[in-house]
Amino acid sequence: MTEARGSAGLNGEAHARHAPGSPCWVSLMAHGVAATQEFYGELFGWEFRPGPQQLGPYVRALLDGKEVAGIGQLPPDRHLPVAWTPYFASTDVGLTAETVRLCGGTVGVGPLDAAEAGRLAICSDPSGAVFGVWQAAAHLGSALTGVPGTPVWNELLTFETVAVTKFYETVFGHEQQKVVSADFDYVTLHLAGRTIAAILGLGQSLPRDRGPHWMTFFEVADTDASTAQAESLGGQILTPPHDSALGRMSTVTDPEGARFSLLQSHA
């Protein structure tokens, strides 16, 4: 990470409708929803209430009464990775899903209705990284960002940036800004002048047990303390706390192995 995020949603701002193409929600599919709720409830101070059940048991995480993330249950007969998935806003999820296919991606789920909340599809880009598409109705997506316990940044870890960046440009209208470096393959994605996400090409350094994937960053008040707490709650530390251009960060897993990053942003 080399560049700060855009300003939208900072300082505890509550969102209205998310602009098409922007990250609007994060969702985790896990095996044990109850135990997963306990972990994230302790770590981030989340409370929970039921959400749409079209894909199985599902709860929405709330912070200060505002929805910030979702947790669903993986079907026991599906051998899928336990992972956080970012969703990008769309005004027509059917059209977006068709564009995904035309650009070399795949549509694994949907498009389908999530009760009165909206419509969704779960897709993967040509490298295999999974992401969601959300067409809002009653549920607009994340209602609070920029305060501890909220998703604050998304970064795609993949083999190389060139081909996959073109995919996201075409599907979501993202504009790119490449960081010029002889040994650092990094692109930031922009919408309407805001930096909304990034793509990091790791080449052969990409973890072979995970492959290309999106990483969700959650804001915390103290990265060192939250990292230690995640470990004490049964998680693992993958990357210890360290200083970066965005602030002090670490990468951890929850007890089921879902990877995510903790970020104490610069003031």
Side-chain angles (χ1 to χ4, degrees):
M1 291 181 301
T2 61
E3 183 173 330
R5 305 170 310 280
S7 60
L10 297 181
N11 301 318
E13 176 182 337
H15 286 280
R17 188 171 296 273
H18 293 262
S22 62
C24 64
W25 188 244
V26 292
S27 191
L28 171 66
M29 299 300 288
H31 295 292
V33 174
T36 300
Q37 288 182 61
E38 184 175 351
F39 173 85
Y40 288 99
E42 289 288 336
L43 184 61
F44 293 139
W46 290 350
E47 298 178 340
F48 301 91
R49 69 181 177 201
Q53 306 290 304
Q54 274 76 2
L55 298 178
Y58 190 83
V59 295
R60 289 180 182 153
L62 288 82
L63 191 65
D64 296 329
K66 298 180 175 65
E67 296 174 343
V68 296
I71 298 175
Q73 183 168 337
L74 280 170
D77 58 341
R78 298 284 298 276
H79 297 288
L80 298 172
V82 178
W84 282 100
T85 301
Y87 281 71
F88 295 91
S90 171
T91 56
D92 186 336
V93 70
L95 179 60
T96 301
E98 184 59 30
T99 306
V100 167
R101 293 189 184 97
L102 291 173
C103 292
T106 59
V107 180
V109 176
L112 56 80
D113 291 322
E116 74 286 348
R119 284 175 59 78
L120 67 88
I122 299 175
C123 310
S124 58
D125 66 28
S127 74
V130 176
F131 63 91
V133 181
W134 181 252
Q135 180 182 336
H139 175 61
L140 299 180
S142 299
L144 184 68
T145 60
V147 298
T150 63
V152 72
W153 182 244
N154 292 285
E155 196 160 280
L156 173 60
L157 309 182
T158 188
F159 291 109
E160 57 86 26
T161 62
V162 175
V164 77
T165 298
K166 293 179 180 177
F167 171 85
Y168 288 97
E169 283 182 321
T170 304
V171 173
F172 293 115
H174 296 159
E175 299 174 348
Q176 67 163 299
Q177 182 175 328
K178 185 171 180 61
V179 175
V180 179
S181 173
D183 56 1
F184 195 60
D185 185 13
Y186 191 83
V187 171
T188 52
L189 300 178
H190 304 257
L191 273 177
R194 291 191 302 114
T195 309
I196 59 162
I199 301 175
L200 175 62
L202 293 173
Q204 296 307 306
S205 298
L206 188 73
R208 293 185 179 276
D209 63 332
R210 187 65 182 86
H213 61 283
W214 280 94
M215 177 76 75
T216 297
F217 290 69
F218 292 94
E219 185 75 35
V220 293
D222 184 326
T223 297
D224 294 72
S226 292
T227 302
Q229 184 182 21
E231 185 176 39
S232 72
L233 292 169
Q236 292 186 325
I237 301 173
L238 299 181
T239 305
H242 62 281
D243 294 322
S244 74
L246 288 182
R248 191 158 178 81
M249 61 167 288
S250 67
T251 301
V252 300
T253 74
D254 66 20
E256 288 197 11
R259 303 178 184 209
F260 60 99
S261 289
L262 303 170
L263 176 64
Q264 181 183 347
S265 296
H266 289 310

